[in-house]
Amino acid sequence: MNTDFVNSQAIQELLDRASGADAEGGDTRLKAITRDLLEAIMTVIVKYDVDESEFWNAIGFFQKGVGEFGLIVPGVGLEHFMDLVMDARDTEAGLTGGTPRTIEGPLYVEGAPLVEGDVDLSTDPDDTDTLYMTGEVKGPDGEAVTNAILHVWHANSKGFYSHFDPTGAQTPFNNRRRIKLGTDGRYAFHSKMPSGYSVPPQGATERLMHALGRHGNRPAHVHFFIEAPGYRTLTTQINFGDDPFAKDDFAFGTREGLLPVPNRQGSSAVIAFDFYLQRA
Ligand code: MBD
Ligand code: FE
């Protein structure tokens, strides 16, 4: 069958009614987006001769996968795509430079303890090395950014995040802090070394990855939001440059400029990393 079928009067009328195009009230922009999304799905169904069993298999996948939707989105590259879109919009607006943004992922939790100074992120014991991170938050002219808040969160040595640990082993804000910085923009923290993340075994994301011939692993990494008065909030992360998945991240979160190699000595690993914010 030809995809012209979707352009037939019957299907176009169906799309108008389904998207509320003819209906009074509702959100005009949402109507237009909904219409185009549905039309795109219909076109794919016709183009690939998707049959009934494939259709219901897909519906079942999304039904079972709702709990992992936040993981499927980065897994299929959509979250990274949004970063590329925002980068391109910045370039168009003449905004360049600064630390690259990269995906937030689904595992941030609000309300982490607000702390100051050279802090320990890890409240729970963990049988692994100690990570030391230091650096400075700077503006476009290399100036120190004052009164920034650095949100930082990462996994434990099993690759599990507090609040999402399937073993129930972690206290609520283990490896999560908001660090209040001073006038010099400097930060310093240490914590128990994170390991790479893997999607839940047998979950919807893993099933999709395997069906695509892919895997569901991320390199070890540390997430950040950095907010400061007068500057644009940056969402980013560093991924360990010496991790086997550093160049093969299932979530597309690793980027050039965000892959420092930890300086490992004995049971400690040191990363020096400066962040560059753009003005608001
Ligand atoms: C993570 O830890 C993560 O950062 C992303 C983007 C997806 C899944 C798990
Ligand atoms: Fe993560």
Side-chain angles (χ1 to χ4, degrees):
M1 209 165 99
N2 190 294
T3 52
D4 283 345
F5 176 75
V6 177
N7 296 324
S8 68
Q9 196 185 339
I11 304 301
Q12 290 298 310
E13 280 175 16
L14 172 61
L15 281 167
D16 284 343
R17 291 179 61 195
S19 64
D22 311 336
E24 269 180 52
D27 182 317
T28 311
R29 180 173 162 84
L30 181 65
K31 289 173 196 239
I33 292 172
T34 302
R35 195 187 192 287
D36 282 10
L37 265 177
L38 291 171
E39 190 170 38
I41 294 168
M42 290 173 181
T43 303
V44 168
I45 289 173
V46 174
K47 178 176 174 188
Y48 289 94
D49 276 319
V50 171
D51 68 22
E52 231 187 328
S53 78
E54 289 172 320
F55 176 82
W56 288 109
N57 185 33
I59 300 301
F61 171 79
F62 285 111
Q63 231 160 1
K64 288 200 204 79
V66 274
E68 287 190 20
F69 210 67
L71 207 51
I72 293 169
V73 168
V76 296
L78 275 177
E79 197 172 351
H80 178 54
F81 172 76
M82 279 310 293
D83 283 338
L84 297 177
V85 167
M86 289 187 280
D87 287 355
R89 287 175 183 156
D90 283 353
T91 305
E92 261 178 32
L95 257 176
T96 54
T99 301
R101 59 161 59 87
T102 193
I103 61 172
E104 171 182 334
L107 304 173
Y108 174 74
V109 177
E110 279 179 21
L114 184 63
V115 293
E116 275 180 72
D118 185 349
V119 295
D120 186 353
L121 308 184
S122 305
T123 11
D124 297 343
D126 198 346
D127 189 15
T128 181
D129 295 345
T130 305
L131 168 69
Y132 294 87
M133 257 194 97
T134 58
E136 216 177 311
V137 180
K138 298 183 198 186
D141 300 319
E143 78 276 17
V145 167
T146 64
N147 299 325
I149 293 180
L150 184 110
H151 303 239
V152 50
W153 72 104
H154 68 66
N156 69 5
S157 69
K158 305 281 184 295
F160 296 143
Y161 285 77
S162 59
H163 290 88
F164 301 95
D165 188 330
T167 71
Q170 298 182 60
T171 53
F173 286 100
N174 187 44
N175 297 324
R176 298 175 185 275
R177 292 292 182 274
R178 286 176 295 157
I179 308 176
K180 197 173 175 349
L181 309 186
T183 51
D184 60 0
R186 296 202 148 273
Y187 76 89
F189 65 80
H190 56 283
S191 63
K192 301 290 185 183
M193 277 293 267
S195 295
Y197 172 91
S198 303
V199 298
Q202 266 99 59
T205 314
E206 185 176 76
R207 281 201 297 134
L208 177 62
M209 290 300 128
H210 289 174
L212 297 173
R214 298 180 49 201
H215 63 74
N217 301 300
R218 299 208 63 211
H221 59 279
V222 180
H223 294 267
F224 302 93
F225 290 147
I226 307 171
E227 44 179 348
Y231 293 88
R232 250 223 276 190
T233 298
L234 173 69
T235 300
T236 193
Q237 55 178 277
I238 54 118
N239 286 262
F240 295 176
D242 58 359
D243 189 289
F245 290 103
K247 297 257 154 64
D248 188 19
D249 174 7
F250 100 98
F252 308 95
T254 56
R255 300 193 80 172
E256 196 85 33
L258 299 174
L259 279 164
V261 177
N263 182 2
R264 299 177 192 264
Q265 264 161 13
S267 62
S268 61
V270 179
I271 296 176
F273 196 87
D274 293 340
F275 296 95
Y276 292 85
L277 302 186
Q278 292 179 330
R279 291 216 179 81

